[in-house]
């Protein structure tokens, strides 16, 4: 079994690469990643010497490169995670999201289709997507696999579009695809532009915590290693042409989550109770900010037997401990060229 994992140097991708390398020593895993600001080979330092691992630096927006790659390798499966993934960046630069997330996915579909045209048996194209394609919920209800797509941000619109192309290649060309839509992930190796690692980083440095709007938006948080386990189960047992929602039944308003984070960090940093929370600063809301995401993952639990393994409180504590133990990693990814890029995009550090 030879699996191509795209975006394997990013946050979730690095956990998926590690999970497959360790769980399936007989598989060859090729990680294709263009190493954008979010891709970091240091995320894989503990596994990159394994005999069954290969890394290729390459760009999914380059269709000819992908056709060549699939011609010179016999991939049995693709797990596609490479993407631009941050909503705020998509608001600043939507076109980049169309090129990477839509065109990049179509290029990958074309390459898989060309490579597998003489026999799709045993092949699998697994597209990793987000619950954000379903849009925003009110105070109740959950996203199911039947919820109509209603994306609001350029990021979620680009992911929705890529999902539609993946389904179209199944229905039109018989490509053996599977899609999963997951809620917000948290854990180690997440780039500190997303809420949890950004706020951990700011708290340790005594910098303000920019809470968008009133902090009342709700997200459903899942431990990244539980996502990697769900991807394993869906890759091996999911039905072709099907979609599976992945989520932790774990809804938090941003402000409650941030206060919990502050309490954990007060304790870990030996600060007085309430000290970190003084850094909370309410700032202008994100444009088009979705109010609430919440996933119904009953189908995945019932049909494939997956359940999350860890409580949010435990997972968040482990996450805080990881970032505090890996401050060099945090300092590296927030210095130099990243800072330059970030300031250019947002005008703030
Ligand atoms: P990330 O931004 O941390 O990593 C993305 C990776 O893709 C990086 O390693 C980057 O270098 C690579 N990449 C970007 N453009 C590329 C290109 N043109 N060619 C090759 N590689 C390229 O993202 P993440 O948070 O790990 O998300 C991974 C996937 O999971 C994405 O598809 C995202 O939409 C999806 N997802 C993320 C979450 C979440 O909470 N982070 C939740 C649900 C779904
Ligand atoms: P984020 O981690 O960017 O994930 P997503 O937008 O994909 O859900 O943001 C999570 C929530 O936190 C979202 O409601 C926006 C909010 N947020 C802030 O309030 N301040 C911040 O600095 C960031 C990055 C996010």
């Amino acid at each position: 079994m030879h699996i191509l994992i795209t975006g394997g140097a990013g946050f979730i991708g690095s956990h998926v690469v590690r999970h497959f390398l360790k769980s399936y020593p007989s598989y060859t895993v090729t990680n294709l990643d263009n190493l954008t600001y979010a891709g970091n080979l240091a995320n894989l330092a503990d596994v990159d010497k394994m005999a069954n691992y290969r890394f290729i630096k390459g760009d999914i927006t380059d269709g000819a490169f992908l056709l060549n790659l699939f011609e010179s390798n016999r991939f049995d499966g693709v797990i596609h995670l490479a993407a631009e993934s941050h909503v705020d960046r998509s608001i600043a630069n939507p076109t980049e999201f169309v090129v990477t997330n839509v065109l990049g996915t179509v290029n990958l579909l074309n390459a898989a289709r060309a490579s597998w045209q003489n026999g799709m048996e045993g092949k699998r194209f697994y597209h990793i997507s987000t619950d954000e394609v379903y849009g925003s919920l009110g105070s109740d209800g959950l996203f199911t696999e039947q919820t109509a797509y209603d994306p609001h941000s350029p990021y979620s619109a680009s992911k929705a579009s890529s999902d539609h192309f993946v389904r179209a290649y199944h229905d039109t060309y018989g490509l053996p695809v599977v899609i999963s839509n997951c809620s917000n992930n948290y854990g180690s190796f997440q780039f500190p532009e997303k809420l949890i690692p950004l706020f951990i980083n700011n708290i340790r440095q005594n910098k303000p915590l920019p809470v968008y709007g009133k902090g009342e938006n709700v997200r459903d948080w899942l431990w990244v290693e539980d996502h990697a386990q769900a991807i394993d189960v869906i890759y091996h047992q999911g039905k072709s042409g099907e979609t599976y929602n992945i989520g932790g039944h774990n809804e938090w308003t941003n402000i409650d989550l941030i206060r919990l984070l502050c309490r954990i960090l007060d304790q870990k940093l030996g600060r007085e109770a309430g000290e970190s929370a003084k850094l909370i600063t309410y700032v202008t809301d994100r444009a088009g900010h979705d109010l609430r995401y919440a996933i119904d993952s009953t189908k995945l639990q019932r049909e494939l037997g997956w359940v999350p393994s860890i409580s949010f409180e435990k997972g968040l504590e482990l996450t805080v401990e990881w970032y505090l133990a890996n401050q060099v990693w945090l300092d590296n990814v927030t210095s130099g060229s990243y800072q330059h890029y970030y300031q250019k995009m947002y005008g703030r550090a």
Side-chain angles (χ1 to χ4, degrees), residues 7-13 32-40 58-61 80-85 100 128-130 155 159 182-185 190 194 227:
F11 164 48
I12 301 171
L32 170 67
D33 198 297
N34 201 27
L35 302 182
T36 69
Y37 76 94
N40 184 352
D59 190 343
I60 58 165
T61 70
H80 175 37
L81 298 108
E84 288 294 333
S85 67
T100 299
I128 307 299
S129 193
T130 168
Y155 165 64
K159 291 297 291 187
C182 188
S183 59
N184 286 54
N185 284 215
Q190 186 169 31
K194 307 276 169 64
H227 190 187

Side-chain angles (χ1 to χ4, degrees), residues 81-342:
L81 298 108
E84 288 294 333
S85 67
H86 189 40
V87 173
D88 292 328
R89 284 179 192 266
S90 82
I91 294 168
N93 189 356
T95 308
E96 195 177 5
F97 282 67
V98 179
V99 174
T100 299
N101 297 359
V102 186
L103 183 63
T105 300
V106 173
N107 285 339
L108 208 54
L109 289 163
N110 286 337
R113 182 182 164 223
S115 167
W116 298 340
Q117 61 188 338
N118 295 326
M120 305 268 186
E121 194 60 37
K123 308 295 188 205
R124 168 136 288 185
F125 188 104
Y126 182 178
H127 178 62
I128 307 299
S129 193
T130 168
D131 61 354
E132 303 189 26
V133 299
Y134 297 122
S136 183
L137 291 163
S139 53
D140 55 14
L142 298 170
F143 297 133
T144 73
E145 289 80 1
Q146 277 72 48
T147 303
Y149 276 30
D150 183 25
H152 298 293
S153 73
Y155 165 64
S156 55
S158 69
K159 291 297 291 187
S161 174
S162 65
D163 292 9
H164 290 317
F165 272 103
V166 173
R167 274 191 204 100
Y169 273 60
H170 172 265
D171 296 350
T172 308
Y173 307 115
L175 201 73
V177 310
V178 66
I179 300 176
S180 58
N181 297 83
C182 188
S183 59
N184 286 54
N185 284 215
Y186 71 97
S188 53
F189 299 113
Q190 186 169 31
F191 199 83
E193 62 182 353
K194 307 276 169 64
L195 181 72
I196 290 178
L198 175 71
F199 279 32
I200 293 172
N201 196 27
N202 284 11
I203 292 170
R204 84 177 168 110
Q205 297 183 96
N206 268 307
K207 286 187 179 169
L209 306 176
V211 180
Y212 298 162
K214 295 180 180 160
E216 287 168 348
N217 304 69
V218 174
R219 297 292 182 265
D220 179 353
W221 293 93
L222 182 70
W223 173 242
V224 64
E225 293 180 32
D226 281 334
H227 190 187
Q229 176 61 34
I231 289 172
D232 175 346
V233 169
I234 293 167
Y235 180 81
H236 288 103
Q237 296 168 44
K239 282 198 204 121
S240 189
E242 292 283 317
T243 292
Y244 298 88
N245 280 353
I246 311 173
H249 286 291
N250 177 44
E251 293 180 47
W252 287 77
T253 62
N254 290 340
I255 194 63
D256 285 347
L257 189 164
I258 291 159
R259 290 194 186 283
L260 173 61
L261 205 51
C262 288
R263 283 198 296 277
I264 296 174
L265 273 145
D266 277 346
Q267 200 211 341
K268 301 277 177 205
L269 295 171
R271 293 182 181 172
E272 249 176 56
E275 207 177 317
S276 298
K278 288 183 192 153
L279 298 167
I280 291 173
T281 311
Y282 292 92
V283 299
T284 310
D285 207 354
R286 173 186 278 171
H289 197 172
D290 287 334
L291 178 66
R292 175 170 167 260
Y293 304 143
I295 274 278
D296 180 350
S297 58
T298 308
K299 176 178 173 182
L300 177 60
Q301 301 198 13
R302 196 184 52 232
E303 293 185 10
L304 305 186
W306 172 88
V307 280
S309 71
I310 192 169
S311 75
F312 185 58
E313 286 77 357
K314 183 68 196 158
L316 198 60
E317 190 177 354
L318 288 175
T319 301
V320 168
E321 283 169 2
W322 186 86
Y323 285 99
L324 293 181
N326 289 275
Q327 298 191 38
V328 173
W329 181 92
L330 268 178
D331 289 337
N332 281 344
V333 299
T334 50
S335 66
S337 57
Y338 167 69
Q339 283 293 338
H340 175 70
Y341 184 86
Y342 196 60

